[in-house]
Amino acid sequence: MPRQVIVNADDFGLSLSENALILRAFETGVISSATAMANMPGFDQACEMARQPLLNGHVGLHFNLSYGPPLGQAITSRPGFCDANGQFDLNLSRYCLRLGSRDLAAVEDELQAQWQHCLDHGLRPSHLDSHQHVHNIWPIGELVARFAARQGVPMRLARNLGANLNPPKRLFTPLFTRRIRSLCGA
């Protein structure tokens, strides 16, 4: 079966200048998709741009748990995710294998809030990934994979190439990828 290469630009909506760069990359054929940050200052403009025929259907959600203000309320009271000012300040080990039920509920609430914010602005995300790869943290990845399956969209899988694949990552990545594929049907 032939494989397709997808070149995705993250951080669509981060700022007006980031949006301009991503639009230019679409226009020149450098990228084939982008993912939008629903809680960032340039998000409204990114949604307007996403209606252009070149971008329409090629913009996903760049789920964010690590930068800026959350859109949901539940996560603001979770110390592993937000600081005292209610801003994202993710303080979770990349090797975390379990989260408590309140943290999981808060993450799911935030994911739903960011997804709904996209829909409310006329953007139906075509796929899901996350800012700083937080969806590669096992319990968050499972939650995002189930959510992606319910929405009928693909989810970016764990990176499985590169020079920084130390022995633990070489073991973790295929296990994690297999689990995520089983949850989201990838």
Side-chain angles (χ1 to χ4, degrees):
M1 175 192 312
R3 296 204 176 230
Q4 179 183 15
V5 174
I6 298 168
V7 180
N8 187 75
D10 294 339
D11 301 344
F12 198 34
L14 178 66
S15 66
L16 301 183
S17 60
E18 190 78 19
N19 291 349
L21 289 170
I22 289 172
L23 178 61
R24 183 77 179 120
F26 265 111
E27 291 170 344
T28 59
V30 174
I31 62 172
S32 51
S33 67
T35 45
M37 298 177 82
N39 67 325
M40 289 288 107
F43 178 72
D44 290 345
Q45 182 195 51
C47 289
E48 288 175 27
M49 292 173 153
R51 291 183 191 93
Q52 296 179 26
L54 186 61
L55 283 71
N56 195 9
H58 300 283
V59 178
L61 172 62
H62 196 50
F63 180 45
N64 183 7
L65 290 174
S66 56
Y67 185 66
L71 296 180
Q73 282 301 113
I75 206 156
T76 60
S77 66
R78 307 309 307 155
F81 295 92
C82 288
D83 64 20
N85 298 319
Q87 297 289 304
F88 281 128
D89 183 26
L90 188 65
N91 188 16
L92 214 71
S93 166
R94 293 284 170 178
Y95 302 106
C96 173
L97 296 176
R98 188 169 180 277
L99 285 175
S101 60
R102 292 170 112 186
D103 284 339
L104 284 171
V107 170
E108 186 160 18
D109 178 69
E110 183 62 26
L111 177 55
Q112 180 61 51
Q114 291 183 26
W115 183 269
Q116 189 61 49
H117 197 60
C118 289
L119 297 178
D120 292 347
H121 284 78
L123 173 65
R124 175 142 194 338
S126 59
H127 60 287
L128 266 167
D129 66 15
S130 65
H131 190 57
Q132 298 179 337
H133 306 280
V134 296
H135 72 284
N136 288 338
I137 299 170
W138 195 285
I140 294 172
E142 287 185 331
L143 190 145
V144 173
R146 286 185 182 103
F147 185 87
R150 286 194 307 272
Q151 302 305 324
V153 297
M155 172 184 154
R156 179 180 176 181
L157 299 175
R159 200 176 77 191
N160 57 2
L161 51 101
N164 68 342
L165 283 179
N166 58 33
K169 279 187 180 179
R170 288 182 199 274
L171 177 62
F172 173 83
T173 300
L175 292 173
F176 180 74
T177 298
R178 191 173 317 131
R179 176 68 176 147
I180 295 308
R181 280 189 170 145
S182 73
L183 292 172
C184 70

